[in-house]
Amino acid sequence: MAKTKKGDPDGPITIKKYANRRLYNTQTSNYITLDFLAEMTRNDIDFVVVDAKTGDDITHNVLTQIIVDEESSGQNMLPVNFLRQLISMYGNSMQSLMPSYLEASMDNFRKNQKQFQEAVEGALNKNPLGQMAVKNQKQFQEAVENALKSSPLAGVVEKALSPLGLGDKIASNDEAEEEEMSAKDIEIMELKQQLADIQSKIDTLDD
């Protein structure tokens, strides 16, 4: 599916909503779901939702429903105090100014987020210290894996480190002496400290 963004000559994709609440994508000639519309929004694909019977633009209602569904799923992003303040603005003399204010605020947030990501990537890719941090992080990971291969606690550590993607690589069949375990623990702690020091220097450069 080709992306159709704001300002493109082709215009936004038209989505028709029928009385049975089904959504029809006129570009791909198939029925879609609200989840699919949410994904289109995340991918910056512009669309407009119209009532199939009256032709009225109901994009606002549909987008609001997507937000309600997202909030109801447990992925709460809107704080209660913000919702209270937003509701209190309805009927307020400042209500007419809120849409443009909220839109501008979100646009600035998106721009700042992008600039921050670019700055971090630039620091890691162009700065020698950043490249060293990436290299040391990889070496640290390999050191942890090698140190834990013969650990008698490998099974326990494997479970604890599985979210980091390290657990699958730990071998738990070999036994190790307690002295070896202690020495390796010290080595790992030293590596962690070195990585923390390098990260601190990177943070200083970003400031």
Side-chain angles (χ1 to χ4, degrees):
M1 179 189 300
K3 289 189 177 182
T4 306
K5 300 184 179 180
K6 293 182 179 179
D8 285 1
D10 295 336
I13 299 172
T14 298
I15 308 296
K16 291 184 178 181
K17 185 177 182 181
Y18 290 89
N20 58 4
R21 302 185 64 177
R22 299 191 70 183
L23 300 166
Y24 184 78
N25 188 334
T26 60
Q27 184 187 66
T28 58
S29 301
N30 67 318
Y31 288 98
I32 59 177
T33 63
L34 279 178
D35 288 339
F36 188 82
L37 282 184
E39 189 63 27
M40 289 175 64
T41 303
R42 296 186 187 98
N43 292 330
D44 200 21
I45 301 176
D46 197 13
F47 60 86
V48 58
V49 184
V50 299
D51 188 292
K53 183 177 181 180
T54 65
D56 294 339
D57 187 338
I58 56 174
T59 307
H60 182 277
N61 295 343
V62 173
L63 293 177
T64 302
Q65 183 61 50
I66 291 175
I67 293 176
V68 171
D69 290 348
E70 292 287 350
E71 291 289 313
S72 300
S73 68
Q75 302 296 327
N76 301 109
M77 185 172 60
L78 302 178
V80 172
N81 286 338
F82 171 79
L83 292 174
R84 293 182 187 276
Q85 294 174 18
L86 187 62
I87 292 174
S88 68
M89 295 303 298
Y90 285 95
N92 190 290
S93 59
M94 301 293 290
Q95 178 178 344
S96 61
L97 300 178
M98 287 301 296
S100 57
Y101 171 76
L102 292 175
E103 186 173 9
S105 298
M106 183 57 70
D107 286 342
N108 288 332
F109 176 81
R110 293 283 297 273
K111 290 177 182 178
N112 291 336
Q113 182 186 38
K114 183 177 181 180
Q115 291 174 357
F116 175 77
Q117 292 175 341
E118 291 175 349
V120 172
E121 292 175 357
L124 293 177
N125 294 331
K126 298 179 182 180
N127 190 291
L129 193 58
Q131 295 176 358
M132 185 185 302
V134 174
K135 181 179 180 180
N136 285 354
Q137 184 177 15
K138 182 178 180 181
Q139 292 176 345
F140 166 69
Q141 179 175 334
E142 293 175 350
V144 172
E145 294 171 4
N146 293 332
L148 293 173
K149 283 181 179 179
S150 59
S151 170
L153 301 177
V156 177
V157 177
E158 178 181 1
K159 182 177 180 181
L161 294 181
S162 58
L164 301 177
L166 300 178
D168 295 338
K169 299 180 181 180
I170 298 175
S172 59
N173 294 328
D174 299 332
E175 296 182 353
E177 297 295 332
E178 292 184 359
E179 292 80 3
E180 294 178 350
M181 181 65 183
S182 177
K184 290 172 182 176
D185 282 343
I186 295 175
E187 181 181 2
I188 292 173
M189 290 177 63
E190 292 177 349
L191 288 172
K192 286 183 177 180
Q193 184 60 46
Q194 292 176 10
L195 185 59
D197 292 341
I198 292 173
Q199 184 62 50
S200 178
K201 293 179 180 179
I202 294 177
D203 294 339
T204 302
L205 290 177
D206 290 340
D207 294 338

